[in-house]
Amino acid sequence: MTAMKIAVCVKQVPDSWAEKKMVNGLLDREGVDAVLNDLDEYAVEEALRIVEAHGEGHTITLISMGPERTTEAVRKALSMGADDAIVVTDSALVGADALLTSEVLAKVIATEGFDLVICGTESTDARMSVVPAMISQRLGWAQLTFAGSVVVDAAASSVTITRVTEAGVDTMKAQFPVVISVIEKINEPRYPSFKGIMAAKKKVIDVRALAAVGVAVLASWSEVKDATPRPPRAAGIKISDEGNGGDALVNFLAEKKII
Amino acid sequence: MTQTLVLAEFSEGKVAKATAELATCGARSGEVAVVVLAAPGTGDAMAAQITTGPVASVLIIESEAFAKFGVAAVADALAQLVDAYKPLALLIASSAFGKEVAGRVAVHIGSGIITDAVDVSADLTATQLVFGGSTTVLSRVNHGVPVITVRPNSVTADVTPCSPSISHASFVLSENSQRAEIISSAPFVKGGRPELTEAQIVVSGGRGTNGDFAAVEAFADLLGAAVGASRAATDAGWYPHSHQVGQTGKTVSPQLYVACGISGAIQHRAGMQTSKTIVVVNKDPEAPLFEIADFGVVGDLFAVLPQASEGVRSRKS
Ligand SMILES: Cc1cc2nc3c(=O)[nH]c(=O)nc-3n(C[C@H](O)[C@H](O)[C@H](O)COP(=O)(O)OP(=O)(O)OC[C@H]3O[C@@H](n4cnc5c(N)ncnc54)[C@H](O)[C@@H]3O)c2cc1C
């Protein structure tokens, strides 16, 4: 059995609780705390479990695109146990959309060559859920997305997943190389151990500019025309149940003409 | 008049409301051609169900590949239809499946993409609600044939009767799309209640139900509502994952959302905070979901819901 090369795509995003606003049609990333996209932690965890189940010699490389400080989020994923990382950072990538993001990631993946690429199902900031499918389309690799379980048969170079979506559960199978995305029910991501955090400091993060990747940036194919904050929800009525809470609720619904 | 292509949505073999909603958006810019992708021998019966909405024509493609190769095969078919028909836009319902299809098609045909629109205007400007509904964004695709996914239940469908012309087309399945095969498939059975994303009213239960959804379901049934759940409830196995509302579940935007025993984590809010009216029942007066509630009852759901059910019942009779 040859060693498996696994890539995990990760993204740094604003903290879920941070108040987000738009500046010039783009999410303002300056003023907010940035963290590793929590859905990507499940992808890192799944990669670690695949490697642990298959013995020595397999490698996990993180791939990320984003501003310079993206390395902070990448360090966290390295401290969970990934081996090394490639970060593409370039001022020309500010405001990159899903099409450009998937192109850059696909290019790096194709150049390095991998057996498995694992992603989270979406980033908590953009919430488009399209990048893994786009990477698969660009590379011409099998798409095994929304995985609720992943079984890798390294000897047969095949992967079987259960795809869990709102529509139902499918079992899907493909030969290497494949692009996988994992849902948040698949595992419980580990916390980095002290040893892991110390080891991560010495791991290599290969920072590349766009020219080194070989992608030419075109203007985005979609543009924001306008962004307006909506008025916050007006404070409503709050009552304490003194034995008539259910009746009060029904009266409210009747006033609103809902019933 | 130039065409706008709409991918028909079906659920358990029946045409979904989202199809007429997409057609309504599409008809603002062009003549709507609805695409029906079907298993061999089933296309005409599916097309025959498209009897409402501003639909001029229905295009059927029948192939084993849709069930066997899923997203990738559907994307192949749509990309080839776009090449052949050069439509003004391609509209698809927002779902895990619909967004992945849209993503692949956009790469395929070299077009811009917008996901999760809640409205699409005549000049194909899409309205999106971002950052948990706190910001309204208007955006446009400026390259290629716009690929736009629209959230179900966001647009009021024009349901005037239609009798579209029906034709058949074919497509070529690419080799790459055959690399991942669907070996078996178990669609969720939605049962007697309305579909979560289509429902006018959703009643949801969380950890506070302690696994007992009877009161939530009884109230939902009296209101003709769909039943939702928080992740705590689906993780515990109390309710199927297909009913999870939130960031990693479904996004709903009903007229009324009733949250029972749900604290209001940001990930739950992400799936429901654009609901028109929000009602919260929670024991804890400090539960964060009260912050966005139009009507909140601080109390035990096992007391409040049965009383509310009784109240609705007596009003009905
Ligand atoms: C990556 C990620 C994705 C996630 N995606 C989602 C998602 O899609 N959807 C989602 O919902 N969550 C999601 N979560 C989880 C989310 O953070 C919360 O943990 C979850 O929403 C909590 O569910 P809950 O409100 O039911 O439980 P809790 O937070 O435990 O709240 C239970 C509430 O019930 C109240 N209660 C208890 N007993 C009663 C009673 N008898 N009567 C009335 N009230 C009572 C309590 O006061 C409490 O407020 C996600 C988390 C992560 C990290």
Side-chain angles (χ1 to χ4, degrees):
Chain A
M1 187 178 79
T2 51
M4 286 185 285
K5 279 184 78 180
I6 304 176
V8 180
C9 297
V10 298
K11 184 183 182 187
Q12 189 183 47
V13 297
D15 187 351
S16 295
W17 286 100
E19 199 166 310
K20 294 171 202 156
K21 60 180 199 299
M22 302 279 268
V23 175
N24 299 329
L26 293 176
L27 170 59
D28 177 20
R29 293 174 190 276
E30 292 301 315
V32 294
D33 285 341
V35 296
L36 175 60
N37 176 38
D38 51 20
L39 293 168
D40 295 342
E41 291 182 21
Y42 299 87
V44 175
E45 177 64 33
E46 197 58 24
L48 292 168
R49 292 187 186 196
I50 291 168
V51 166
E52 285 159 6
H54 287 87
E56 300 281 293
H58 313 290
T59 54
I60 301 173
T61 299
L62 305 168
I63 302 179
S64 190
M65 187 191 103
E68 252 166 68
R69 67 168 173 172
T70 293
T71 50
E72 296 162 21
V74 166
R75 231 17 116 185
K76 173 165 186 205
L78 286 173
S79 66
M80 288 172 72
D83 296 296
D84 53 16
I86 299 168
V87 172
V88 182
T89 184
D90 200 303
S91 54
L93 289 170
V94 172
D97 60 9
L99 286 160
L100 179 54
T101 304
S102 65
E103 192 181 354
V104 169
L105 296 174
K107 202 66 182 234
V108 173
I109 292 163
T111 308
E112 301 295 318
F114 290 98
D115 300 302
L116 310 175
V117 174
I118 310 181
C119 311
T121 46
E122 67 177 41
S123 58
T124 54
D125 54 351
R127 302 208 56 205
M128 287 181 75
S129 235
V130 294
V131 167
M134 285 179 169
I135 293 175
S136 154
Q137 172 75 32
R138 288 188 189 281
L139 295 169
W141 292 7
Q143 175 185 325
L144 296 179
T145 45
F146 285 86
S149 69
V150 175
V151 177
V152 174
D153 183 340
S157 298
S158 71
V159 185
T160 306
I161 66 150
T162 51
R163 172 181 166 89
V164 183
T165 66
E166 59 264 78
V169 180
D170 297 338
T171 304
M172 296 187 74
K173 189 173 177 184
Q175 294 296 120
F176 293 175
V178 303
V179 178
I180 298 168
S181 77
V182 298
I183 64 168
E184 98 292 353
K185 300 220 186 279
I186 194 167
N187 57 41
E188 195 57 58
R190 68 196 64 186
Y191 288 103
S193 64
F194 181 69
K195 211 173 127 219
I197 293 169
M198 295 315 285
K201 295 192 181 183
K202 298 198 204 76
K203 289 178 179 171
V204 177
I205 301 182
D206 172 358
V207 180
R208 298 182 187 175
L210 208 48
V213 176
V215 170
V217 174
L218 304 169
S220 176
W221 288 349
S222 55
E223 58 185 322
V224 171
K225 291 283 183 196
D226 185 49
T228 14
R230 302 172 81 214
R233 294 191 83 99
I237 307 160
K238 185 164 150 193
I239 62 151
S240 215
D241 180 30
E242 311 284 353
N244 59 353
D247 292 334
L249 200 168
V250 173
N251 286 337
F252 171 79
L253 296 182
E255 273 166 34
K256 283 262 168 191
K257 307 220 181 325
I258 293 172
I259 53 169
Chain B
M1 194 177 181
T2 324
Q3 279 174 325
T4 305
L5 286 186
V6 161
L7 176 62
E9 275 283 302
F10 283 83
S11 159
E12 295 182 359
K14 293 202 178 63
V15 66
K17 209 174 76 183
T19 306
E21 292 169 2
L22 292 169
T24 303
C25 289
R28 294 172 186 153
S29 54
E31 197 175 83
V32 172
V34 170
V35 179
V36 171
L37 303 180
T42 64
D44 285 303
M46 286 165 77
Q49 293 185 42
I50 300 173
T51 53
T52 56
V55 182
S57 57
V58 176
L59 260 168
I60 302 168
I61 299 183
E62 294 185 343
S63 168
E64 306 272 9
F66 303 131
K68 199 165 167 197
F69 303 110
V71 170
V74 169
D76 274 355
L78 291 176
Q80 287 166 35
L81 286 177
V82 170
D83 279 342
Y85 287 80
K86 312 228 170 333
L88 290 167
L90 170 64
L91 305 183
I92 300 172
S94 269
S95 63
F97 178 86
K99 294 206 281 185
E100 289 197 321
V101 166
R104 288 186 76 104
V105 172
V107 168
H108 220 308
I109 63 176
S111 284
I113 172 175
I114 294 172
T115 57
D116 289 308
V118 293
D119 204 5
V120 182
S121 71
D123 70 349
L124 296 169
T125 298
T127 308
Q128 291 163 292
L129 300 176
V130 301
F131 309 152
S134 67
T135 304
T136 305
V137 168
L138 299 180
S139 42
R140 278 196 54 152
V141 167
N142 53 24
H143 190 275
V145 174
V147 178
I148 304 174
T149 76
V150 183
R151 276 196 193 149
N153 223 7
S154 317
V155 179
T156 309
D158 167 356
V159 289
T160 41
C162 64
S163 43
S165 64
I166 292 178
S167 57
H168 284 255
S170 61
F171 84 111
V172 183
L173 181 66
S174 72
E175 211 165 297
N176 288 343
S177 294
Q178 301 175 45
R179 296 192 198 283
E181 192 178 334
I182 300 173
I183 299 167
S184 67
S185 199
F188 287 124
V189 194
K190 70 169 186 254
R193 299 197 178 91
E195 172 65 33
L196 250 187
T197 50
E198 290 186 354
Q200 294 296 312
I201 303 179
V202 175
V203 182
S204 287
R207 199 191 308 276
T209 62
N210 210 5
D212 181 359
F213 264 68
V216 169
E217 287 182 337
F219 191 52
D221 288 343
L222 279 163
L223 297 175
V227 174
S230 72
R231 180 173 166 198
T234 61
D235 275 359
W238 299 338
Y239 233 70
H241 178 49
S242 53
H243 290 256
Q244 182 173 315
V245 171
Q247 186 191 314
T248 48
K250 290 185 177 173
T251 300
V252 300
S253 198
Q255 292 296 313
L256 172 66
Y257 188 86
V258 185
C260 311
I262 296 176
S263 61
I266 196 109
Q267 294 92 350
H268 187 78
R269 289 193 200 193
M272 48 65 74
Q273 58 194 342
T274 56
S275 304
K276 190 123 186 286
T277 300
I278 296 173
V279 169
V280 171
V281 181
N282 196 306
K283 277 205 304 215
D284 173 10
E286 304 298 325
L289 204 55
F290 281 123
E291 291 164 18
I292 59 166
D294 298 287
F295 191 82
V297 182
V298 181
D300 186 339
L301 70 92
F302 293 105
V304 175
L305 283 185
Q307 189 179 66
S309 292
E310 195 43 54
V312 174
R313 214 174 281 123
S314 62
R315 264 171 203 268
K316 277 187 173 174
S317 57

